[in-house]
Amino acid sequence: MKKNKKIINDTLLYTLISIFLGLLVGAVVLAASGFSPIDGYAEMIKGIFGKPKYLAWTVVKSTPLILTGLSVAFAFRTGLFNIGAEGQFIVGALTATLVGYFVHVPAIIHIPLTLLSGCLAGAIWGGIAGILKSKFGVNEVISTIMLNWIAFYLSNYFIMMDGFKKPGTEASFNIQDTATIDIKWLKSLVGPATKVNWGIVIALILVVIISYLLYKTVLGFELRAVGFNKYAAEYAGINVNKSMVISMAIAGLLAGSAGAMHVMGVSHKITILAAQEGFGFDGIAVALIGNNTPIGAILGGFLFGALKYGGGKMQNIGAPTEVINIVIGSIIYFIAASRMVKIIIDKMRGGKADV
């Protein structure tokens, strides 16, 4: 018990140090660019907490990142690297838009139907990578990268279809009002333009479900066993191939739900993509920051969302927004190099570095 507690404390400590070092690098870049780091970070903090609508936007921006981060973290915990959260997000958004626009039923049916359709599409997209790995040994990194591009062009193709594309625009028609998850009464408090929605509540529920699944069920134990050592798991009688497919399908479901909720609560439509939006790729960073745990995905998602939204406020002092990308990149770098940070701290403590 004491050993586990020490590992958790050490992980949290190194994560916080990595975040601090990333912010320090950002401060150096700001100073080198001729701007005050204190003023820059003050604007960023004000941009996150200064007004209720800023806080609401931070939550809105963080919600899809929590889910894509959870998707990557879940796959990693089961021994797989889901780099395809981007494609699963896209197919989830596409399917939710199709169901949200073409289906006409009451909201009590339409909302869960639209959300579940996006989840199912993501699960199928992730499951394809799982099947390719389990049946043919195709590395999931390669297959999911290819699936990302297929999803990207598939979405653009569907938008161009007559009856789905809104004439004179580069976007689909909006989904029906009965398929949206907006919180309209809250908009009167934080501003009508703020896209507050129930997505964050659903995301937190999914985090609880995934935590329970991973650590309190037989299925979760089997999936994690395959992640620790698939040969030992197979020797113990666990169907490794089946576990891989299930893991990728669940990871895809989570990323697909992010895409569906983004459509249902924020955009209400999809547009022709000139480039991949990056929600899935950002999820990899969120999972890294959160140490590939469900709770860590929440914290990493909020941190990432806050940095991305609040960072834009640095423009108030004339600083380039690119600085915030340097800060985020630096944080990820230091977390990835946490072993190096650990060695340095051990040496500073005067003890022998545990390598």
Side-chain angles (χ1 to χ4, degrees), residues 77-141:
R77 283 286 161 189
T78 59
L80 297 167
F81 188 20
N82 179 27
I83 208 168
E86 183 72 23
Q88 295 146 15
F89 178 96
I90 292 173
V91 295
L94 169 63
T95 308
T97 309
L98 288 168
V99 174
Y101 174 64
F102 285 112
V103 177
H104 297 266
V105 289
I108 195 170
I109 299 173
H110 208 180
I111 288 173
L113 180 65
T114 306
L115 178 58
L116 290 175
S117 64
C119 292
L120 181 61
I124 292 172
W125 213 250
I128 291 172
I131 292 171
L132 289 173
K133 184 176 180 69
S134 64
K135 297 293 183 185
F136 307 106
V138 179
N139 190 294
E140 74 274 16
V141 174

Side-chain angles (χ1 to χ4, degrees), residues 48 51-61 186 190 194-196:
I48 300 169
K51 294 181 180 179
K53 70 175 182 180
Y54 294 163
L55 203 54
W57 268 116
T58 299
V59 173
V60 170
K61 296 284 185 184
L186 193 54
V190 297
T194 309
K195 304 284 187 180
V196 286

